[in-house]
């Protein structure tokens, strides 16, 4: 019986956990045994007693949890101490940030372990339940609006009272992927007047279906501006200039701006310049979901709320971690589905590395970094 280990997340500010009592019970039912490091779920409100009730063994330390583990489930890449405790051949599965955290992959390779990056799970129908990027982006988009509303300090919906009328907040969402669409939906539910922009043509219909107005330069370059994987394609300097001019006029009228634009493996595109920030009214708020990759907003600082000319720049780097119970629950279900691929039809631990999902997400094996996107 293969042993799955789940350890505490040791990165500062990371409150999520890679398994919940619910998924622990289902992993055991599938044929795994599970060991949980004591306190692994505490920051996400999952106590050790609930894991024990689900059938897991509680280990006093990461080293004890990992000594015999066949699979290590993580939210983020394991620490150096965790890697050192892995037995050769152990499979590490998590959001490993492979483009930015090569040192962690090198350490896993040197240890003789293998690693799967959940970021590389392909966007195919049978892998939808494993799409950790989408599950976490969905909650990040929701939380971004909550953080923006808190920093804004005024009411979001229109209110008509005997003392007068309060105008609704104007919210502009830049980037209409999973996070952006959830931000739009959340802002609409809170009563704001919402607009949104994206370079992908398919986003227009999605934005409008949520009751928001679409804002974009819709020229010939705009039509094919989407990759086969569904990501935004990097646009030409000419298009970016035209879009920037449109945004410059629009953004100065907004109360809350949420930016969500990311390009896998590359620095986040700069969407909001210092001039844009300066044009906004004092009391306005910008929430940047891309801060971990350099940020979409000039002047944003990771894990801080900066203020420039009375405009607040919210740069929390781990928004899903600010809603840890739900983000952990969704992510743990992504990992549960992925772990099922490590078993054969009889329930034995026998990963088929030729499976299209495992092959696409495999980043380290046999002492080397093997993913083509990471080859230098």
């Amino acid at each position: 019986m293969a042993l799955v280990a789940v350890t505490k997340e040791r990165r500062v500010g990371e409150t999520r956990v890679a398994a919940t009592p619910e998924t622990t019970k289902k992993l055991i039912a599938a044929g795994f045994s599970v060991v949980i490091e004591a306190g692994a779920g505490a920051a996400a409100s999952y106590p050790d007693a609930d894991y024990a009730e689900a059938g897991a063994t509680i280990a006093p330390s990461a080293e004890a949890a990992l000594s015999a583990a066949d699979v290590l489930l993580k939210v983020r890449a394991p620490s150096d101490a965790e890697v050192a405790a892995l037995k050769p051949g152990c499979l590490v599965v998590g959001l490993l940030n492979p483009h930015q955290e090569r040192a962690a992959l090198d350490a896993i390779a040197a240890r003789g372990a293998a690693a799967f990056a959940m970021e590389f799970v392909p966007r195919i129908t049978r892998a939808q339940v494993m799409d950790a990027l989408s599950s976490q982006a969905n909650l990040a988009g929701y939380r971004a609006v909550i953080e923006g509303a808190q920093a804004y300090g005024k009411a979001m919906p229109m209110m008509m009272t005997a003392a007068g009328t309060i105008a609704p907040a104007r919210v502009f969402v830049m980037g209409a992927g999973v996070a952006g669409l959830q931000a739009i939906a959340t802002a609409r539910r809170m009563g704001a007047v919402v607009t949104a922009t994206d370079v992908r043509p398919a986003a227009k219909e999605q934005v409008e279906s949520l009751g928001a107005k679409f804002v974009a330069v819709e020229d010939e370059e705009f039509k094919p501006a989407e990759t086969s994987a569904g990501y935004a394609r990097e646009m030409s300097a000419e298009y970016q200039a035209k879009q920037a001019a449109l945004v410059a006029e629009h953004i100065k009228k907004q109360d809350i701006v949420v930016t969500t634009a990311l390009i896998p493996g590359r620095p986040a595109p700069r969407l909001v310049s210092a001039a844009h920030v300066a044009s906004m009214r004092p009391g306005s708020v910008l929430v940047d979901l891309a801060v971990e990759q350099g940020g979409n907003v000039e002047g944003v600082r990771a894990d801080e709320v900066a203020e420039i000319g009375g405009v607040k720049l919210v740069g929390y780097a781990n928004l899903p971690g600010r809603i840890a119970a739900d983000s952990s629950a969704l992510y743990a279900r992504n990992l549960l589905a992925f772990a099922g691929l490590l078993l054969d039809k009889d329930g034995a631990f026998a990963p088929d590395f030729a499976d299209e999902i495992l092959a696409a997400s495999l980043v380290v094996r046999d002492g080397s970094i093997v993913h083509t996107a990471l080859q230098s």
Side-chain angles (χ1 to χ4, degrees), residues 263-276:
I263 301 172
R266 304 188 65 175
R270 183 57 47 83
L271 303 181
V272 179
S273 68
H276 293 145

Side-chain angles (χ1 to χ4, degrees), residues 160-238:
M160 300 180 70
T161 75
T165 300
I166 297 173
R170 295 182 179 184
V171 176
F172 182 37
V173 179
M174 303 183 74
V178 174
L181 291 173
Q182 183 57 247
I184 291 166
T186 302
R188 287 280 296 158
R189 286 195 295 269
M190 294 178 72
V193 175
V194 185
T195 54
T197 188
D198 197 287
V199 299
R200 296 171 300 118
K204 180 177 181 180
E205 183 177 349
Q206 295 170 322
V207 165
E208 292 176 345
S209 73
L210 292 172
K213 181 181 178 181
F214 191 69
V215 178
V217 175
E218 299 183 45
D219 61 9
E220 289 302 310
E221 186 177 356
F222 175 75
K223 294 176 183 178
E226 186 171 347
T227 70
S228 59
Y231 294 106
R233 189 184 304 278
E234 188 169 19
M235 306 298 282
S236 70
E238 181 182 2

